[in-house]
Amino acid sequence: MRISVTGCGYLGAVHASAMAKLGHDVIGIDVDEPKIASLAQGEPPFFEPELPELLTASIASGRLRFTTDPAAAAEATVHFVAVGTPQTSDGNAADLSYVDAAIDALLPHIGDGHVVVGKSTVPVGTAAKLAERIHETGARLVWNPEFLREGYAVRDTVEPDRLVYGVEPGDDASVAVLDEVYAHALELGTPRMVTDFATSELVKVAANAFLATKISFINAMAEIAEATGADVTQLADAIGHDSRIGRRFLNAGVGFGGGCLPKDIRAFTARAEELGRGEAVAFLKEVDGINLRRRKRVVDLATAELGGSVVGRKVAVLGVTFKPHSDDVRDSPALDVAVALKGLGAAVVAVDPKGVANARVRHPQLDYAEDATDALRGADLVILVTEWPEYVGLDPVATRELVAGATVIDGRNALDRDAWVGAGWRYRGMGRS
Ligand code: UDX
């Protein structure tokens, strides 16, 4: 298939590279010139495991090119739209300006027999509106939500756990086109569901709302555990053995962040309110509230551990990204904690294997260490906020030699508590005594 992908960020760059690997002819389009220049040289402008190898191989095959020229879309007949839908600066709704701009740029270059495939996460009702404009060119629209996780994006794109096509009634032709695009995944037996536009749009936000709720549920239990002396990790293990509940996404800690979960639950709430159904998802405000309280909990714990004031005390913050195996610091709980402690007067030194460059752009006021040893040396307090394997695997005995005060706050309940306590550390977890 001849494919264009508009928007070459975390989603689009991986999608374009993966589609080329699967044998399609792909042109990646983005308005960001430095990003396109870097991708064209086989260098992803962000960190994503397996992407550099995939990108290089796809470019070498001659099936993947990148450009800033929207007219290049005319070479393709299937047009993926993978631009971002961030939170608006003045509210909770999703900012659709990048989606609108992408469609505006595509319209002059599409026509009969073309299929536009929306992958961006959008408020329910968006596809129906866009379809009217797309139909005027003779092309069709499919909404095909993306469920990839950063850190596993390549695997999730090549072998997704399900495919959802939102189509207009009777649009079998577009279904057949997408089946050809995704022939590899379908041959592997990937479940594929054909729905209407609204259902496909809702599948994505409902999935993310559910995951966010699951995390906030266990973090709410952590709050109760903290008041009672119970241990939330044992609680999660015990309820997780019930297969109806399941253990995944029940890790209590500093909560969820990133470019998807936080903004998606807020946009969902805003859209439901517009539809007069705000009550149906009012619980998502609680989910958001519980989540944000966990960041404050870490800051409060740090203050308490340092005797009521952090002023002038050296705090080593391990991790700035919203999760390991990513360089993404969007709405990162780790970075929020570092910034809050700095705001309270602590001498914060943050460190991260991949996220420092992005963090520095957003928060140049923080001090960043070259490596964990550098961050830990002379620290009065250590806080683990992103569970990178290199921090989880720190040797508590050797680490103790580096610090001034042997207290660790485990913001992800990821450290081996017994080993740290055994090495003479005072250990504070989340929702554990
Ligand atoms: C998420 C969805 O998983 C994915 O399907 C969707 O396409 C985009 O949004 P992602 O943002 O990459 O993916 O991260 P995810 O792995 O879901 O983690 C989100 C946040 O939740 C991270 O900050 C993570 O640390 C946190 N988390 C996850 C917890 O706090 N506890 C858990 O048990 C699981």
Side-chain angles (χ1 to χ4, degrees):
M1 307 293 283
R2 283 177 298 128
I3 291 175
S4 78
V5 178
T6 299
C8 293
Y10 287 97
L11 163 57
V14 175
H15 191 70
S17 310
M19 291 300 110
K21 178 190 169 171
L22 295 174
H24 303 301
D25 232 325
V26 185
I27 179 90
I29 305 171
D30 200 294
V31 293
D32 185 333
E33 285 193 17
K35 188 185 280 179
I36 286 297
S38 153
L39 285 166
Q41 284 167 15
E43 288 163 16
F46 52 85
F47 173 73
E48 178 62 44
E50 298 179 37
L51 181 58
E53 300 79 6
L54 177 67
L55 186 60
T56 310
S58 294
I59 291 173
S61 74
R63 291 194 299 269
L64 177 63
R65 286 164 304 127
F66 291 96
T67 180
T68 53
D69 180 8
E75 301 164 21
T77 53
V78 181
H79 306 278
F80 284 95
V81 174
V83 294
T85 52
Q87 188 173 339
T88 45
S89 51
D90 57 350
N92 283 335
D95 175 359
L96 291 179
S97 59
Y98 301 105
V99 173
D100 290 334
I103 298 293
D104 287 345
L106 274 176
L107 286 178
H109 310 293
I110 58 176
D112 278 342
H114 289 222
V115 183
V116 176
V117 189
K119 289 201 89 62
S120 308
T121 303
V122 292
V124 57
T126 305
K129 274 191 220 146
L130 295 176
E132 287 173 25
R133 301 176 61 208
I134 289 165
H135 286 167
E136 286 169 20
T137 69
R140 312 289 302 174
L141 176 67
V142 179
W143 215 263
N144 172 224
E146 178 57 59
F147 306 104
L148 66 78
R149 299 158 298 166
E150 287 177 28
Y152 303 91
V154 171
R155 197 185 315 163
D156 287 350
T157 304
V158 177
E159 295 175 9
D161 53 12
R162 78 280 211 192
L163 289 163
V164 177
Y165 309 167
V167 299
E168 286 174 289
D171 188 6
D172 298 338
S174 296
V175 171
V177 167
L178 271 200
D179 278 353
E180 212 172 323
V181 169
Y182 292 125
H184 171 78
L186 293 171
E187 277 161 23
L188 293 175
T190 307
R192 177 267 247 166
M193 291 187 63
V194 179
T195 70
D196 54 29
F197 281 154
T199 306
S200 67
E201 292 165 319
L202 275 174
V203 167
K204 175 60 192 268
V205 285
N208 277 356
F210 192 86
L211 294 172
T213 303
K214 211 171 169 191
I215 299 167
S216 277
F217 175 82
I218 202 65
N219 279 328
M221 295 306 107
E223 290 190 19
I224 303 296
E226 278 152 15
T228 54
D231 186 314
V232 77
T233 58
Q234 287 187 323
L235 173 71
D237 290 344
I239 63 173
H241 282 302
D242 183 333
S243 60
R244 294 170 303 174
I245 296 174
R247 180 63 179 83
R248 296 180 71 190
F249 271 69
L250 278 186
N251 294 323
V254 69
F256 59 81
C260 291
L261 260 46
K263 65 105 177 157
D264 285 353
I265 60 170
R266 292 173 198 149
F268 194 12
T269 307
R271 182 65 183 132
E273 284 168 359
E274 267 174 28
L275 293 165
R277 295 291 192 278
E279 274 187 343
V281 293
F283 69 94
L284 290 177
K285 287 187 181 156
E286 279 304 320
V287 166
D288 202 5
I290 293 164
N291 190 53
L292 295 177
R293 281 206 296 276
R294 299 319 284 166
R295 302 177 187 190
K296 185 168 180 303
R297 166 75 183 166
V298 174
V299 174
D300 290 347
L301 257 182
T303 309
E305 289 301 325
L306 290 172
S309 168
V310 301
V311 175
R313 310 296 295 280
K314 179 172 175 184
V315 181
V317 174
L318 304 181
V320 296
T321 53
F322 83 105
K323 69 174 190 181
H325 313 295
S326 169
D327 65 356
D328 196 345
V329 299
R330 288 177 293 172
D331 209 336
S332 166
L335 200 47
D336 253 18
V337 166
V339 168
L341 287 169
K342 171 85 182 176
L344 291 172
V348 173
V349 180
V351 65
D352 193 282
K354 297 290 176 193
V356 168
N358 285 339
R360 210 189 288 277
V361 171
R362 282 172 194 241
H363 295 291
Q365 78 277 23
L366 288 179
D367 287 327
Y368 299 96
E370 287 293 319
D371 55 32
T373 304
D374 190 16
L376 290 161
R377 195 169 286 119
D380 297 302
L381 175 67
V382 178
I383 309 181
L384 176 89
V385 250
T386 313
E387 68 279 33
W388 283 98
E390 43 270 73
Y391 303 152
V392 174
L394 280 171
D395 174 5
V397 177
T399 305
R400 199 174 165 204
E401 300 296 310
L402 293 170
V403 298
T407 300
V408 61
I409 297 177
D410 183 0
R412 293 288 181 179
N413 290 340
L415 299 174
D416 179 342
R417 179 172 60 181
D418 293 344
W420 284 71
V421 171
W425 286 80
R426 184 172 156 75
Y427 172 96
R428 300 302 307 267
M430 304 291 287
R432 340 173 57 185
S433 56

